[in-house]
Amino acid sequence: MGWVTDASIRRLLEAPLPPDKGGYAAVVCVVSRAEGDGVVHRQHLGDWSSIHDLTGRHVAVITPDPAGVAVVDIGVAVRGIALFGDEHGTRLVNAGPWPRPPAYAPTLPMPLDEHATAVTTVATELQEYFGIAEETLPCAVIVCTAEQQVVVVGLNRRITLYGLLKHVKSELEPQLARLNRARAEMEPYVAERQQALAELAEAERRAAAWRSAVAARKEWVKRREQLAAELTDLAADVDADTAALCRWLAARLPEDRTLDRRDATRAETLFTALSSRIGNLPSRKRQSLLRRLRRAVAALGTNVAPVPEEPDADLADLTERASRSQAAYHAISAKHSAAGGLDMLGAVRSAANRLGLDESCSGLLSWREVRWPVTAFIPPPHRAPLVRRDRG
């Protein structure tokens, strides 16, 4: 699957990439310069759509974004990034401060010349990171994520990236068939698990909303009862007219209905009385009571939404169903995990051998930045045929 990105190779390799967690089994890039063999340099770009289709969800082939920064970003370390393989175009990463989101690219988004130039601009950084000798360029770098090993394969006009990956896929086909069969077997378990968890989450949300509404209603009722009690106590210490208003509002508050015009006038009369010294009520308590009464009266009929009916979903049953679906999903996952994933490293080695390449001690530098082991398969240097000249 092809990706155009300005994300760092360093970032990708510091990310959690195990294929059994949804990641790619391999990450591939080309190290090349336009100043060498221009045909080889452009070959993988010209084959891009075929490579994208060939590699599918198991191999990520990345190339630098002409509008972005270098593929290798020396000195940057980012954690918590995950690679995912998804033929539907899921983003390459789900977290991390990337300069720009990587682009899922069945076709190259910009002119081929610009992409070829972008590949050139990162060649030296990639060389230093993987410890690749100058004589090895152009080459493909295949990072086998599960094995945490790197394979460098030299490219030429006969050995192309597409041809190499085609041989890799041929080697992997029996394993891919097993994984596809396992994926098909797991689909109903995945769907049941997702549905059970979604229904449980919705039921829990409704139950929590209901409990919150009940609690809010109880609190509102408690505040009105407190105000009604304070008004009843005040009625014993004021004149008859004000006492009647206090007793009336104390009885009216629990009804939680908006005041009509007549009742609103009576409430304002009481508020006016409370605005001046009344009975033996201290000024601070009187002002506090007045503020709370005004808020309570203004909120009558509008303060708290009616309490909805209690949800009828049986949380115990939904929880049990979710637990069963989780257990079934994990059991089928464990079954297929035990069968093993893709032997990407073995497939790459076999593919290189089928192309007539043997593991080479040359082509690599003694120091490299990447911490994973690096193996090289380098084609023999091209030699021009000897031309015999007859002596005349």
Side-chain angles (χ1 to χ4, degrees), residues 74-352:
I74 301 299
V76 175
V78 177
R79 301 292 179 181
I81 300 169
L83 270 172
F84 292 94
D86 189 335
E87 65 272 30
H88 301 299
T90 300
R91 283 183 56 181
L92 184 65
V93 294
N94 68 342
W98 300 88
R100 298 197 315 159
Y104 170 82
T107 59
L108 293 175
M110 301 180 73
L112 191 145
D113 285 347
E114 295 188 30
H115 284 281
T117 300
V119 172
T120 297
T121 60
V122 300
T124 296
E125 288 91 344
L126 286 169
Q127 273 187 276
E128 293 175 353
Y129 188 79
F130 291 108
I132 302 170
E134 183 66 31
E135 63 185 22
T136 305
L137 271 59
C139 64
V141 176
I142 303 176
V143 179
C144 303
T145 56
E147 299 90 340
Q148 295 193 347
Q149 294 199 42
V150 180
V151 180
V152 175
V153 180
L155 302 176
N156 54 32
R157 295 196 181 197
R158 182 181 70 86
I159 302 173
T160 67
L161 180 63
Y162 177 80
L164 171 64
L165 293 176
K166 187 175 179 67
H167 282 300
V168 170
K169 185 172 183 179
S170 295
E171 294 288 336
L172 289 173
E173 278 181 340
Q175 301 174 49
L176 291 172
R178 171 176 55 78
L179 289 180
N180 289 335
R181 185 165 54 249
R183 190 182 188 205
E185 185 179 347
M186 286 185 63
E187 281 180 355
Y189 292 91
V190 172
E192 166 62 18
R193 173 175 175 258
Q194 289 176 340
Q195 183 177 353
L197 291 176
E199 290 180 6
L200 176 60
E202 176 62 17
E204 289 176 337
R205 185 193 66 79
R206 289 178 179 274
W210 179 79
R211 290 193 298 270
S212 177
V214 169
R217 170 63 62 178
K218 287 181 178 179
E219 179 61 25
W220 174 224
V221 169
K222 179 180 177 181
R223 289 200 302 267
R224 285 183 297 157
E225 289 176 347
Q226 178 64 32
L227 284 171
E230 291 183 45
L231 285 171
T232 300
D233 291 343
L234 181 62
D237 195 35
V238 295
D239 61 82
D241 291 341
T242 304
L245 290 173
C246 288
R247 286 190 291 271
W248 163 78
L249 188 55
R252 181 67 175 76
L253 282 174
E255 296 180 16
D256 196 15
R257 290 183 294 106
T258 304
L259 298 181
D260 57 24
R261 182 174 299 180
R262 178 171 174 275
D263 284 349
T265 300
R266 297 179 71 184
E268 281 299 326
T269 302
L270 176 59
F271 296 158
T272 300
L274 289 174
S275 298
S276 57
R277 184 174 180 80
I278 182 172
N280 296 321
L281 194 65
S283 175
R284 181 172 297 179
K285 288 188 177 181
R286 174 173 51 80
Q287 292 173 1
S288 172
L289 176 61
L290 177 59
R291 284 194 302 271
R292 288 182 288 123
L293 282 173
R294 285 190 180 277
R295 286 197 298 266
V297 168
L300 283 174
T302 62
N303 188 57
V304 178
V307 177
E309 292 186 6
E310 184 175 1
D312 57 2
D314 190 329
L315 283 177
D317 286 348
L318 289 174
T319 301
E320 175 61 23
R321 178 192 171 192
S323 178
R324 287 197 308 269
S325 66
Q326 286 271 53
Y329 169 78
H330 288 308
I332 195 72
S333 296
K335 169 188 169 183
H336 291 303
S337 294
L342 293 176
D343 179 15
M344 182 60 68
L345 181 61
V348 173
R349 289 176 177 272
S350 296

